[in-house]
Every structure is written in C-alpha cells, then in structure tokens.
Amino acid sequence: MKVVVLGAAGGIGQPLSLLLKMQLPAGSELALYDPAPMTRGVAVDLSHIPSRVQVAGFTGRDPSAALAGADIVLIPAGIARKPGMERSDLFKFNAGIIMDLVQHCGRVCPKALIAIITNPVNSMVPIAAEVLTQLGVYDPRRLFGLTSLDVARSESFCLDMNREVDAPVVPVVGGHSGLTIVPLFSHVAEHYTDEQLRALIARVQQAGTEVVEAKAGAGSATLAMAYAALRFCLSLVRAKQGEADIREYAYIEGGHPQARFFSQPMLLGPDGVAQVLDYSPVHSVEQAAIDGMLPTLNQEIQQGIDYARNVLQD
Ligand code: NAD
C-alpha cells in the first residue's frame, strides 16, 4: 500500500505524516511531497521512528516522483485561514494548487483514491472532478472531500455532554463550510430539544473558526485534522485490503438529488465508494438546516466548476 501526502511539510501535513508512519500497516510506503525544501528533512526525521513503513521525501515543483504507484493520495496543500477569513476567502489561493496537483494525480496515478483536505473543500472537489474528467480518468467513487473532522468534532462535543455515551455516531451531511455543515445529532440516543439541536449544529459549524481565532493568526485546525485524516485514510486502507462494511463520511459526487456533491455516509470498497447510505431519519430542525444551506452549497460547487472549466479552456 502506497500513501502519498501532498503538502506534507505543513501544519496538517507533518502530524498527519507522523500518524501515518506509526499506524499504516507493516510493509506500506509513505511518500511526502511539498515544495518546501524542508520536506526531505521531515521524511528523514520520521524515518527514525521504528515501524515497518518506508518513508521518502520529495520536493521541487513536480510531485510526479512521489505519486508514482500511489494507492491513496491525501492533499492538505495550500493556504489556511487567518482570523476574519472564511473558507471561501481561500479559493483564489488554493484553486490553482489543487488543479495542478490533481492534474499530476490524473496523469501519474489515475486509479488512486484521492482525498482533498484543502479548503474550500466544497469547491476544490468539483475542481478536481473537472480536471480528472478532462484527462478522461474521472471515477466519482475515487474522489473524496475530507469532512471527517466535522464528524470527529460532533462526536467529541457529544462526549463532552454525555458521559454515559461511549461511542456516539453523529452523521454529518451537506458540505464543509459554515452553514453547509449539518451534523445530525438526532441520531444520538440521547433526546435533544429543538433548541439544543440548533445550538449543537451552530457549534459544529463554527468549530473551525473557534480554532482559527484561538490560534490568533498562526493557522487553523491541524492536530485534530491530522487525526481525522488518519482515521479516514485507515478506513480507505482497510477497504482496499478487502475488509467489508467500512462505513465513512465524506463529500462525494452522487447520492443527493439537489446537489451534485454532498457529504454523506457511505460504505467503502477496494475502488472507493461502494454504496452511498441513507442518512434518514432527519429531525425537522436538521431538515430545515439542510434545505436552508443548499443554495450556498450549490453556488460553491458551481464556483469550482466554472473556475476549472475556464482555466482548462485556455
Ligand atoms: P499550512 O500552510 O500549514 O501548510 C500547507 C502546506 O502546503 C505548506 O507546507 C506548503 O508549502 C504546501 N504547499 C503549498 N503549495 C503546494 C503545492 N503546490 N503542492 C504541495 N504542497 C504545497 O496549512 P495547513 O494548516 O496544513 O492547512 C492546509 C489546508 O487544509 C488549508 O487549505 C486549510 O484550510 C485546510 N483545512 C481543511 C480542513 C478540513 O476539515 N477539510 C481542516 C483544517 C484545515
């Protein structure tokens, strides 16, 4: 199994690479790419951790050598938020980075599973889909936007409130920006009032901003994101190794009648998404949140598609 991290020297990339070095199955390869010159050093540093995971670092302007033979590509490359910024403010910086990196993925490892962490995820995944389509290698089952941090946060807030719940399951649907993030706390056995549900939804929607403000200009979520990306990556690895019934949540194409891309539960298989799962029942408070955010989600999807089509036409 070969896992590649694009953006490996960054705030997310480094702790994610550390966790992967420690937790990928024995015999795996881990390739770290980042234009930052320190990337080879990050790989050397990690290589001193005793595990049967081979790690190599790549820098320069071309990620092709890192991507050769990749099974899974995780992308936390690009600019992160500072206080006062919305995820959408990152579009103009990160759209070009994602286009370039996904073009290399499509050419070098067209069968790899690609998981995009870079924000705004709602627009970056449609950009990636357009790039892969133009290269003739797009398979919606293999492309994911990472929303596993929203799931982890929802579970964590649930644990903070309910000491008797061991492993809460809180599906998060919609997208990964502000109002488009809709956690379904009604799925937790505990009964919440309408007011509590509204407050919990708002807390998860604002959790990223809470971290950005607390870090006071030094970046956004990195450590919990690294954990959430590890968790998602290990699910992809287990599914690729043939384990059945691996349930995950991610932002993918298909499965929702009113948005081309949507975060939702799914079963994973060796080729990526094996089956999109139903997330009903949905409480009326949650349904109102979904209905209310769909125009925003669709606008962010369209922004990505338009950007990619314009660039690809030139
Ligand atoms: P960071 O600035 O610390 O690291 C980004 C890294 O990307 C840097 O090392 C940089 O050199 C590298 N990079 C820049 N251009 C590149 C390119 N062309 N190819 C490969 N690497 C390149 O940022 P971070 O805190 O690690 O965040 C990375 C991204 O993840 C941001 O866009 C952030 O908004 C996003 N994020 C997503 C979630 C989520 O839930 N999906 C959560 C937190 C952060």
Side-chain angles (χ1 to χ4, degrees), residues 6-13 33-36 76-81 90 94 97 100-101 116-119 121 146-147 149-150 176 219-222 225:
L6 302 180
I12 296 167
Y33 167 75
D34 196 301
I79 308 271
R81 283 196 287 164
L90 301 173
N94 290 344
I97 292 175
D100 180 58
L101 291 175
I116 296 181
I117 298 169
T118 307
N119 274 316
V121 167
L146 244 79
T147 58
L149 180 54
D150 301 317
H176 176 71
S220 61
T222 55
M225 182 63 245

PDB file of all heavy atoms in Angstrom, residues 6-13 33-36 76-81 90 94 97 100-101 116-119 121 146-147 149-150 176 219-222 225, ligand 1:
ATOM      1  N   LEU A   6       0.413  15.183  -0.119  1.00  0.00           N
ATOM      2  CA  LEU A   6       0.815  16.364  -0.892  1.00  0.00           C
ATOM      3  C   LEU A   6       0.562  17.587  -0.014  1.00  0.00           C
ATOM      4  O   LEU A   6      -0.590  17.890   0.307  1.00  0.00           O
ATOM      5  CB  LEU A   6       0.006  16.465  -2.189  1.00  0.00           C
ATOM      6  CG  LEU A   6       0.093  15.263  -3.143  1.00  0.00           C
ATOM      7  CD1 LEU A   6      -0.770  15.496  -4.386  1.00  0.00           C
ATOM      8  CD2 LEU A   6       1.539  14.982  -3.553  1.00  0.00           C
ATOM      9  N   GLY A   7       1.632  18.282   0.368  1.00  0.00           N
ATOM     10  CA  GLY A   7       1.516  19.366   1.353  1.00  0.00           C
ATOM     11  C   GLY A   7       2.016  18.862   2.694  1.00  0.00           C
ATOM     12  O   GLY A   7       1.561  19.281   3.761  1.00  0.00           O
ATOM     13  N   ALA A   8       2.998  17.940   2.626  1.00  0.00           N
ATOM     14  CA  ALA A   8       3.412  17.170   3.806  1.00  0.00           C
ATOM     15  C   ALA A   8       4.215  17.967   4.825  1.00  0.00           C
ATOM     16  O   ALA A   8       4.379  17.518   5.957  1.00  0.00           O
ATOM     17  CB  ALA A   8       4.225  15.950   3.366  1.00  0.00           C
ATOM     18  N   ALA A   9       4.731  19.152   4.424  1.00  0.00           N
ATOM     19  CA  ALA A   9       5.553  19.921   5.372  1.00  0.00           C
ATOM     20  C   ALA A   9       4.724  20.916   6.163  1.00  0.00           C
ATOM     21  O   ALA A   9       5.256  21.648   6.992  1.00  0.00           O
ATOM     22  CB  ALA A   9       6.670  20.648   4.618  1.00  0.00           C
ATOM     23  N   GLY A  10       3.413  20.965   5.930  1.00  0.00           N
ATOM     24  CA  GLY A  10       2.567  21.986   6.540  1.00  0.00           C
ATOM     25  C   GLY A  10       2.056  21.607   7.920  1.00  0.00           C
ATOM     26  O   GLY A  10       2.415  20.568   8.496  1.00  0.00           O
ATOM     27  N   GLY A  11       1.192  22.490   8.429  1.00  0.00           N
ATOM     28  CA  GLY A  11       0.633  22.319   9.767  1.00  0.00           C
ATOM     29  C   GLY A  11      -0.150  21.026   9.910  1.00  0.00           C
ATOM     30  O   GLY A  11      -0.126  20.386  10.974  1.00  0.00           O
ATOM     31  N   ILE A  12      -0.875  20.634   8.882  1.00  0.00           N
ATOM     32  CA  ILE A  12      -1.587  19.342   8.906  1.00  0.00           C
ATOM     33  C   ILE A  12      -0.650  18.237   8.428  1.00  0.00           C
ATOM     34  O   ILE A  12      -0.593  17.148   9.005  1.00  0.00           O
ATOM     35  CB  ILE A  12      -2.838  19.379   7.991  1.00  0.00           C
ATOM     36  CG1 ILE A  12      -3.856  20.387   8.516  1.00  0.00           C
ATOM     37  CG2 ILE A  12      -3.458  17.990   7.871  1.00  0.00           C
ATOM     38  CD1 ILE A  12      -4.973  20.709   7.529  1.00  0.00           C
ATOM     39  N   GLY A  13       0.080  18.534   7.353  1.00  0.00           N
ATOM     40  CA  GLY A  13       0.896  17.506   6.698  1.00  0.00           C
ATOM     41  C   GLY A  13       1.860  16.815   7.639  1.00  0.00           C
ATOM     42  O   GLY A  13       2.013  15.589   7.591  1.00  0.00           O
ATOM     43  N   TYR A  33       5.347  14.829  -0.167  1.00  0.00           N
ATOM     44  CA  TYR A  33       5.739  15.858  -1.141  1.00  0.00           C
ATOM     45  C   TYR A  33       5.293  17.226  -0.655  1.00  0.00           C
ATOM     46  O   TYR A  33       4.169  17.391  -0.147  1.00  0.00           O
ATOM     47  CB  TYR A  33       5.104  15.597  -2.521  1.00  0.00           C
ATOM     48  CG  TYR A  33       5.255  16.803  -3.417  1.00  0.00           C
ATOM     49  CD1 TYR A  33       6.474  17.120  -4.003  1.00  0.00           C
ATOM     50  CD2 TYR A  33       4.185  17.670  -3.631  1.00  0.00           C
ATOM     51  CE1 TYR A  33       6.636  18.261  -4.775  1.00  0.00           C
ATOM     52  CE2 TYR A  33       4.329  18.814  -4.402  1.00  0.00           C
ATOM     53  CZ  TYR A  33       5.563  19.103  -4.974  1.00  0.00           C
ATOM     54  OH  TYR A  33       5.718  20.237  -5.726  1.00  0.00           O
ATOM     55  N   ASP A  34       6.166  18.196  -0.817  1.00  0.00           N
ATOM     56  CA  ASP A  34       5.831  19.595  -0.531  1.00  0.00           C
ATOM     57  C   ASP A  34       6.930  20.417  -1.195  1.00  0.00           C
ATOM     58  O   ASP A  34       8.105  20.027  -1.149  1.00  0.00           O
ATOM     59  CB  ASP A  34       5.831  19.834   0.994  1.00  0.00           C
ATOM     60  CG  ASP A  34       5.133  21.123   1.406  1.00  0.00           C
ATOM     61  OD1 ASP A  34       5.563  22.214   0.955  1.00  0.00           O
ATOM     62  OD2 ASP A  34       4.165  21.045   2.193  1.00  0.00           O
ATOM     63  N   PRO A  35       6.573  21.562  -1.810  1.00  0.00           N
ATOM     64  CA  PRO A  35       7.642  22.387  -2.383  1.00  0.00           C
ATOM     65  C   PRO A  35       8.583  22.954  -1.329  1.00  0.00           C
ATOM     66  O   PRO A  35       9.700  23.366  -1.661  1.00  0.00           O
ATOM     67  CB  PRO A  35       6.893  23.517  -3.105  1.00  0.00           C
ATOM     68  CG  PRO A  35       5.458  23.345  -2.839  1.00  0.00           C
ATOM     69  CD  PRO A  35       5.236  22.077  -2.092  1.00  0.00           C
ATOM     70  N   ALA A  36       8.176  22.973  -0.070  1.00  0.00           N
ATOM     71  CA  ALA A  36       9.062  23.496   0.988  1.00  0.00           C
ATOM     72  C   ALA A  36      10.321  22.632   1.072  1.00  0.00           C
ATOM     73  O   ALA A  36      10.227  21.399   1.177  1.00  0.00           O
ATOM     74  CB  ALA A  36       8.326  23.500   2.322  1.00  0.00           C
ATOM     75  N   PRO A  76      -3.385  17.930   1.804  1.00  0.00           N
ATOM     76  CA  PRO A  76      -3.553  19.101   2.674  1.00  0.00           C
ATOM     77  C   PRO A  76      -2.659  20.255   2.209  1.00  0.00           C
ATOM     78  O   PRO A  76      -2.063  20.951   3.028  1.00  0.00           O
ATOM     79  CB  PRO A  76      -3.102  18.569   4.037  1.00  0.00           C
ATOM     80  CG  PRO A  76      -2.028  17.568   3.710  1.00  0.00           C
ATOM     81  CD  PRO A  76      -2.275  17.069   2.295  1.00  0.00           C
ATOM     82  N   ALA A  77      -2.548  20.469   0.890  1.00  0.00           N
ATOM     83  CA  ALA A  77      -1.651  21.502   0.348  1.00  0.00           C
ATOM     84  C   ALA A  77      -2.394  22.818   0.220  1.00  0.00           C
ATOM     85  O   ALA A  77      -3.557  22.833  -0.187  1.00  0.00           O
ATOM     86  CB  ALA A  77      -1.146  21.066  -1.028  1.00  0.00           C
ATOM     87  N   GLY A  78      -1.724  23.902   0.536  1.00  0.00           N
ATOM     88  CA  GLY A  78      -2.323  25.213   0.288  1.00  0.00           C
ATOM     89  C   GLY A  78      -2.383  26.079   1.519  1.00  0.00           C
ATOM     90  O   GLY A  78      -1.865  25.726   2.577  1.00  0.00           O
ATOM     91  N   ILE A  79      -3.046  27.222   1.344  1.00  0.00           N
ATOM     92  CA  ILE A  79      -3.099  28.244   2.399  1.00  0.00           C
ATOM     93  C   ILE A  79      -4.221  27.902   3.384  1.00  0.00           C
ATOM     94  O   ILE A  79      -5.271  27.414   2.985  1.00  0.00           O
ATOM     95  CB  ILE A  79      -3.433  29.614   1.756  1.00  0.00           C
ATOM     96  CG1 ILE A  79      -2.474  29.901   0.598  1.00  0.00           C
ATOM     97  CG2 ILE A  79      -3.481  30.738   2.766  1.00  0.00           C
ATOM     98  CD1 ILE A  79      -1.221  30.586   0.940  1.00  0.00           C
ATOM     99  N   ALA A  80      -3.981  28.206   4.676  1.00  0.00           N
ATOM    100  CA  ALA A  80      -5.019  28.020   5.702  1.00  0.00           C
ATOM    101  C   ALA A  80      -5.563  29.383   6.139  1.00  0.00           C
ATOM    102  O   ALA A  80      -4.971  30.422   5.844  1.00  0.00           O
ATOM    103  CB  ALA A  80      -4.427  27.265   6.894  1.00  0.00           C
ATOM    104  N   ARG A  81      -6.676  29.361   6.875  1.00  0.00           N
ATOM    105  CA  ARG A  81      -7.338  30.614   7.289  1.00  0.00           C
ATOM    106  C   ARG A  81      -6.581  31.362   8.381  1.00  0.00           C
ATOM    107  O   ARG A  81      -5.923  30.753   9.222  1.00  0.00           O
ATOM    108  CB  ARG A  81      -8.738  30.302   7.834  1.00  0.00           C
ATOM    109  CG  ARG A  81      -9.740  30.031   6.771  1.00  0.00           C
ATOM    110  CD  ARG A  81     -11.137  30.123   7.324  1.00  0.00           C
ATOM    111  NE  ARG A  81     -11.514  29.004   8.173  1.00  0.00           N
ATOM    112  CZ  ARG A  81     -12.554  29.027   8.991  1.00  0.00           C
ATOM    113  NH1 ARG A  81     -13.308  30.107   9.090  1.00  0.00           N
ATOM    114  NH2 ARG A  81     -12.855  27.963   9.724  1.00  0.00           N
ATOM    115  N   LEU A  90     -10.206  31.504   0.755  1.00  0.00           N
ATOM    116  CA  LEU A  90      -9.007  30.752   0.353  1.00  0.00           C
ATOM    117  C   LEU A  90      -9.067  30.320  -1.107  1.00  0.00           C
ATOM    118  O   LEU A  90      -8.066  29.863  -1.660  1.00  0.00           O
ATOM    119  CB  LEU A  90      -8.860  29.496   1.235  1.00  0.00           C
ATOM    120  CG  LEU A  90      -8.740  29.744   2.736  1.00  0.00           C
ATOM    121  CD1 LEU A  90      -8.787  28.422   3.492  1.00  0.00           C
ATOM    122  CD2 LEU A  90      -7.443  30.486   3.049  1.00  0.00           C
ATOM    123  N   ASN A  94      -5.987  28.642  -3.355  1.00  0.00           N
ATOM    124  CA  ASN A  94      -5.884  27.180  -3.358  1.00  0.00           C
ATOM    125  C   ASN A  94      -6.394  26.505  -4.632  1.00  0.00           C
ATOM    126  O   ASN A  94      -6.006  25.372  -4.910  1.00  0.00           O
ATOM    127  CB  ASN A  94      -6.618  26.615  -2.134  1.00  0.00           C
ATOM    128  CG  ASN A  94      -5.876  26.949  -0.841  1.00  0.00           C
ATOM    129  OD1 ASN A  94      -4.700  27.318  -0.879  1.00  0.00           O
ATOM    130  ND2 ASN A  94      -6.549  26.835   0.289  1.00  0.00           N
ATOM    131  N   ILE A  97      -3.578  25.528  -6.929  1.00  0.00           N
ATOM    132  CA  ILE A  97      -2.756  24.449  -6.340  1.00  0.00           C
ATOM    133  C   ILE A  97      -3.448  23.101  -6.551  1.00  0.00           C
ATOM    134  O   ILE A  97      -2.831  22.121  -6.968  1.00  0.00           O
ATOM    135  CB  ILE A  97      -2.523  24.726  -4.831  1.00  0.00           C
ATOM    136  CG1 ILE A  97      -1.629  25.962  -4.657  1.00  0.00           C
ATOM    137  CG2 ILE A  97      -1.913  23.511  -4.138  1.00  0.00           C
ATOM    138  CD1 ILE A  97      -1.417  26.404  -3.208  1.00  0.00           C
ATOM    139  N   ASP A 100      -3.368  21.946 -10.238  1.00  0.00           N
ATOM    140  CA  ASP A 100      -2.054  21.447 -10.640  1.00  0.00           C
ATOM    141  C   ASP A 100      -1.785  20.058 -10.041  1.00  0.00           C
ATOM    142  O   ASP A 100      -1.371  19.130 -10.738  1.00  0.00           O
ATOM    143  CB  ASP A 100      -0.997  22.457 -10.177  1.00  0.00           C
ATOM    144  CG  ASP A 100       0.393  22.003 -10.555  1.00  0.00           C
ATOM    145  OD1 ASP A 100       0.633  21.793 -11.755  1.00  0.00           O
ATOM    146  OD2 ASP A 100       1.235  21.838  -9.645  1.00  0.00           O
ATOM    147  N   LEU A 101      -2.046  19.919  -8.741  1.00  0.00           N
ATOM    148  CA  LEU A 101      -1.744  18.641  -8.086  1.00  0.00           C
ATOM    149  C   LEU A 101      -2.620  17.512  -8.636  1.00  0.00           C
ATOM    150  O   LEU A 101      -2.136  16.396  -8.858  1.00  0.00           O
ATOM    151  CB  LEU A 101      -1.923  18.771  -6.567  1.00  0.00           C
ATOM    152  CG  LEU A 101      -0.883  19.648  -5.845  1.00  0.00           C
ATOM    153  CD1 LEU A 101      -1.238  19.788  -4.368  1.00  0.00           C
ATOM    154  CD2 LEU A 101       0.524  19.073  -6.009  1.00  0.00           C
ATOM    155  N   ILE A 116      -9.234  15.110  -0.632  1.00  0.00           N
ATOM    156  CA  ILE A 116      -8.839  16.519  -0.590  1.00  0.00           C
ATOM    157  C   ILE A 116      -9.213  17.127   0.764  1.00  0.00           C
ATOM    158  O   ILE A 116     -10.386  17.103   1.172  1.00  0.00           O
ATOM    159  CB  ILE A 116      -9.509  17.306  -1.732  1.00  0.00           C
ATOM    160  CG1 ILE A 116      -9.001  16.750  -3.074  1.00  0.00           C
ATOM    161  CG2 ILE A 116      -9.229  18.802  -1.616  1.00  0.00           C
ATOM    162  CD1 ILE A 116      -9.557  17.427  -4.286  1.00  0.00           C
ATOM    163  N   ILE A 117      -8.198  17.680   1.431  1.00  0.00           N
ATOM    164  CA  ILE A 117      -8.385  18.344   2.721  1.00  0.00           C
ATOM    165  C   ILE A 117      -8.448  19.859   2.512  1.00  0.00           C
ATOM    166  O   ILE A 117      -9.097  20.589   3.254  1.00  0.00           O
ATOM    167  CB  ILE A 117      -7.227  17.963   3.670  1.00  0.00           C
ATOM    168  CG1 ILE A 117      -7.238  16.446   3.934  1.00  0.00           C
ATOM    169  CG2 ILE A 117      -7.303  18.728   4.987  1.00  0.00           C
ATOM    170  CD1 ILE A 117      -5.995  15.918   4.636  1.00  0.00           C
ATOM    171  N   THR A 118      -7.766  20.340   1.492  1.00  0.00           N
ATOM    172  CA  THR A 118      -7.616  21.771   1.200  1.00  0.00           C
ATOM    173  C   THR A 118      -8.977  22.468   1.093  1.00  0.00           C
ATOM    174  O   THR A 118      -9.878  21.993   0.410  1.00  0.00           O
ATOM    175  CB  THR A 118      -6.851  21.936  -0.128  1.00  0.00           C
ATOM    176  OG1 THR A 118      -5.643  21.184  -0.042  1.00  0.00           O
ATOM    177  CG2 THR A 118      -6.560  23.398  -0.418  1.00  0.00           C
ATOM    178  N   ASN A 119      -9.054  23.625   1.744  1.00  0.00           N
ATOM    179  CA  ASN A 119     -10.287  24.422   1.698  1.00  0.00           C
ATOM    180  C   ASN A 119     -10.274  25.449   0.578  1.00  0.00           C
ATOM    181  O   ASN A 119      -9.199  25.873   0.151  1.00  0.00           O
ATOM    182  CB  ASN A 119     -10.453  25.164   3.034  1.00  0.00           C
ATOM    183  CG  ASN A 119     -11.158  24.298   4.056  1.00  0.00           C
ATOM    184  OD1 ASN A 119     -12.149  23.643   3.740  1.00  0.00           O
ATOM    185  ND2 ASN A 119     -10.662  24.295   5.284  1.00  0.00           N
ATOM    186  N   VAL A 121     -13.250  23.056   0.638  1.00  0.00           N
ATOM    187  CA  VAL A 121     -13.495  21.694   0.141  1.00  0.00           C
ATOM    188  C   VAL A 121     -14.699  21.669  -0.817  1.00  0.00           C
ATOM    189  O   VAL A 121     -14.677  20.972  -1.841  1.00  0.00           O
ATOM    190  CB  VAL A 121     -13.730  20.734   1.338  1.00  0.00           C
ATOM    191  CG1 VAL A 121     -14.286  19.397   0.878  1.00  0.00           C
ATOM    192  CG2 VAL A 121     -12.436  20.542   2.116  1.00  0.00           C
ATOM    193  N   LEU A 146     -12.539  15.723   2.367  1.00  0.00           N
ATOM    194  CA  LEU A 146     -12.495  15.245   3.752  1.00  0.00           C
ATOM    195  C   LEU A 146     -13.385  16.063   4.676  1.00  0.00           C
ATOM    196  O   LEU A 146     -13.143  17.254   4.872  1.00  0.00           O
ATOM    197  CB  LEU A 146     -11.051  15.219   4.262  1.00  0.00           C
ATOM    198  CG  LEU A 146     -10.645  13.771   4.560  1.00  0.00           C
ATOM    199  CD1 LEU A 146     -10.304  13.077   3.265  1.00  0.00           C
ATOM    200  CD2 LEU A 146      -9.502  13.718   5.508  1.00  0.00           C
ATOM    201  N   THR A 147     -14.386  15.420   5.237  1.00  0.00           N
ATOM    202  CA  THR A 147     -15.267  16.064   6.219  1.00  0.00           C
ATOM    203  C   THR A 147     -15.193  15.312   7.547  1.00  0.00           C
ATOM    204  O   THR A 147     -15.999  15.543   8.438  1.00  0.00           O
ATOM    205  CB  THR A 147     -16.725  16.074   5.716  1.00  0.00           C
ATOM    206  OG1 THR A 147     -17.120  14.718   5.484  1.00  0.00           O
ATOM    207  CG2 THR A 147     -16.871  16.866   4.429  1.00  0.00           C
ATOM    208  N   LEU A 149     -13.274  15.649   9.949  1.00  0.00           N
ATOM    209  CA  LEU A 149     -13.070  16.492  11.129  1.00  0.00           C
ATOM    210  C   LEU A 149     -14.420  16.961  11.687  1.00  0.00           C
ATOM    211  O   LEU A 149     -14.586  17.059  12.909  1.00  0.00           O
ATOM    212  CB  LEU A 149     -12.182  17.690  10.782  1.00  0.00           C
ATOM    213  CG  LEU A 149     -11.899  18.653  11.932  1.00  0.00           C
ATOM    214  CD1 LEU A 149     -11.319  17.947  13.154  1.00  0.00           C
ATOM    215  CD2 LEU A 149     -10.966  19.777  11.484  1.00  0.00           C
ATOM    216  N   ASP A 150     -15.378  17.228  10.811  1.00  0.00           N
ATOM    217  CA  ASP A 150     -16.710  17.616  11.295  1.00  0.00           C
ATOM    218  C   ASP A 150     -17.344  16.471  12.089  1.00  0.00           C
ATOM    219  O   ASP A 150     -18.014  16.695  13.104  1.00  0.00           O
ATOM    220  CB  ASP A 150     -17.615  18.001  10.119  1.00  0.00           C
ATOM    221  CG  ASP A 150     -17.041  19.165   9.320  1.00  0.00           C
ATOM    222  OD1 ASP A 150     -16.553  20.115   9.945  1.00  0.00           O
ATOM    223  OD2 ASP A 150     -17.075  19.102   8.081  1.00  0.00           O
ATOM    224  N   HIS A 176     -18.605  21.272   3.630  1.00  0.00           N
ATOM    225  CA  HIS A 176     -17.621  21.584   4.663  1.00  0.00           C
ATOM    226  C   HIS A 176     -17.305  23.081   4.648  1.00  0.00           C
ATOM    227  O   HIS A 176     -16.204  23.501   4.321  1.00  0.00           O
ATOM    228  CB  HIS A 176     -16.341  20.763   4.478  1.00  0.00           C
ATOM    229  CG  HIS A 176     -15.274  21.126   5.457  1.00  0.00           C
ATOM    230  ND1 HIS A 176     -15.352  20.811   6.801  1.00  0.00           N
ATOM    231  CD2 HIS A 176     -14.120  21.819   5.323  1.00  0.00           C
ATOM    232  CE1 HIS A 176     -14.291  21.284   7.425  1.00  0.00           C
ATOM    233  NE2 HIS A 176     -13.521  21.910   6.555  1.00  0.00           N
ATOM    234  N   GLY A 219      -2.766  30.023  12.175  1.00  0.00           N
ATOM    235  CA  GLY A 219      -3.285  28.943  11.347  1.00  0.00           C
ATOM    236  C   GLY A 219      -4.636  28.433  11.805  1.00  0.00           C
ATOM    237  O   GLY A 219      -5.287  29.024  12.669  1.00  0.00           O
ATOM    238  N   SER A 220      -5.038  27.316  11.223  1.00  0.00           N
ATOM    239  CA  SER A 220      -6.348  26.723  11.551  1.00  0.00           C
ATOM    240  C   SER A 220      -6.112  25.339  12.139  1.00  0.00           C
ATOM    241  O   SER A 220      -5.003  25.008  12.551  1.00  0.00           O
ATOM    242  CB  SER A 220      -7.233  26.698  10.305  1.00  0.00           C
ATOM    243  OG  SER A 220      -6.674  25.919   9.282  1.00  0.00           O
ATOM    244  N   ALA A 221      -7.161  24.536  12.190  1.00  0.00           N
ATOM    245  CA  ALA A 221      -7.053  23.212  12.822  1.00  0.00           C
ATOM    246  C   ALA A 221      -6.000  22.373  12.109  1.00  0.00           C
ATOM    247  O   ALA A 221      -6.028  22.253  10.879  1.00  0.00           O
ATOM    248  CB  ALA A 221      -8.401  22.513  12.749  1.00  0.00           C
ATOM    249  N   THR A 222      -5.083  21.825  12.863  1.00  0.00           N
ATOM    250  CA  THR A 222      -4.056  20.964  12.265  1.00  0.00           C
ATOM    251  C   THR A 222      -3.995  19.597  12.960  1.00  0.00           C
ATOM    252  O   THR A 222      -3.911  18.571  12.306  1.00  0.00           O
ATOM    253  CB  THR A 222      -2.656  21.626  12.366  1.00  0.00           C
ATOM    254  OG1 THR A 222      -2.391  21.950  13.739  1.00  0.00           O
ATOM    255  CG2 THR A 222      -2.584  22.896  11.529  1.00  0.00           C
ATOM    256  N   MET A 225      -7.297  17.743  12.771  1.00  0.00           N
ATOM    257  CA  MET A 225      -7.461  17.423  11.337  1.00  0.00           C
ATOM    258  C   MET A 225      -6.567  16.250  10.958  1.00  0.00           C
ATOM    259  O   MET A 225      -6.977  15.368  10.195  1.00  0.00           O
ATOM    260  CB  MET A 225      -7.120  18.658  10.497  1.00  0.00           C
ATOM    261  CG  MET A 225      -7.306  18.460   9.006  1.00  0.00           C
ATOM    262  SD  MET A 225      -9.014  18.120   8.540  1.00  0.00           S
ATOM    263  CE  MET A 225      -8.906  16.450   7.914  1.00  0.00           C
TER     264      MET A 225
HETATM  265  P1  NAD B   1      -0.082  25.160   6.090  1.00  0.00           P
HETATM  266  O1  NAD B   1       0.082  26.488   5.431  1.00  0.00           O
HETATM  267  O2  NAD B   1       0.489  24.955   7.439  1.00  0.00           O
HETATM  268  O3  NAD B   1       0.518  24.022   5.136  1.00  0.00           O
HETATM  269  C1  NAD B   1       0.236  23.975   3.781  1.00  0.00           C
HETATM  270  C2  NAD B   1       1.388  23.296   3.075  1.00  0.00           C
HETATM  271  O4  NAD B   1       1.043  23.222   1.681  1.00  0.00           O
HETATM  272  C3  NAD B   1       2.716  24.080   3.177  1.00  0.00           C
HETATM  273  O5  NAD B   1       3.737  23.231   3.688  1.00  0.00           O
HETATM  274  C4  NAD B   1       3.004  24.491   1.748  1.00  0.00           C
HETATM  275  O6  NAD B   1       4.380  24.514   1.420  1.00  0.00           O
HETATM  276  C5  NAD B   1       2.260  23.401   0.981  1.00  0.00           C
HETATM  277  N1  NAD B   1       2.006  23.732  -0.407  1.00  0.00           N
HETATM  278  C6  NAD B   1       1.800  24.952  -0.972  1.00  0.00           C
HETATM  279  N2  NAD B   1       1.683  24.809  -2.308  1.00  0.00           N
HETATM  280  C7  NAD B   1       1.799  23.497  -2.581  1.00  0.00           C
HETATM  281  C8  NAD B   1       1.770  22.720  -3.763  1.00  0.00           C
HETATM  282  N3  NAD B   1       1.598  23.280  -4.963  1.00  0.00           N
HETATM  283  N4  NAD B   1       1.942  21.388  -3.670  1.00  0.00           N
HETATM  284  C9  NAD B   1       2.098  20.781  -2.471  1.00  0.00           C
HETATM  285  N5  NAD B   1       2.160  21.468  -1.314  1.00  0.00           N
HETATM  286  C10 NAD B   1       2.002  22.813  -1.372  1.00  0.00           C
HETATM  287  O7  NAD B   1      -1.648  24.861   6.085  1.00  0.00           O
HETATM  288  P2  NAD B   1      -2.427  23.723   6.931  1.00  0.00           P
HETATM  289  O8  NAD B   1      -2.811  24.263   8.244  1.00  0.00           O
HETATM  290  O9  NAD B   1      -1.664  22.455   6.836  1.00  0.00           O
HETATM  291  O10 NAD B   1      -3.787  23.612   6.068  1.00  0.00           O
HETATM  292  C11 NAD B   1      -3.768  23.089   4.752  1.00  0.00           C
HETATM  293  C12 NAD B   1      -5.166  23.201   4.134  1.00  0.00           C
HETATM  294  O11 NAD B   1      -6.087  22.364   4.848  1.00  0.00           O
HETATM  295  C13 NAD B   1      -5.768  24.608   4.181  1.00  0.00           C
HETATM  296  O12 NAD B   1      -6.392  24.907   2.944  1.00  0.00           O
HETATM  297  C14 NAD B   1      -6.801  24.513   5.280  1.00  0.00           C
HETATM  298  O13 NAD B   1      -7.845  25.444   5.121  1.00  0.00           O
HETATM  299  C15 NAD B   1      -7.288  23.099   5.086  1.00  0.00           C
HETATM  300  N6  NAD B   1      -8.021  22.519   6.227  1.00  0.00           N
HETATM  301  C16 NAD B   1      -9.035  21.667   5.945  1.00  0.00           C
HETATM  302  C17 NAD B   1      -9.765  21.081   6.964  1.00  0.00           C
HETATM  303  C18 NAD B   1     -10.881  20.124   6.639  1.00  0.00           C
HETATM  304  O14 NAD B   1     -11.625  19.748   7.549  1.00  0.00           O
HETATM  305  N7  NAD B   1     -11.031  19.666   5.408  1.00  0.00           N
HETATM  306  C19 NAD B   1      -9.453  21.371   8.300  1.00  0.00           C
HETATM  307  C20 NAD B   1      -8.400  22.227   8.568  1.00  0.00           C
HETATM  308  C21 NAD B   1      -7.681  22.812   7.520  1.00  0.00           C
END
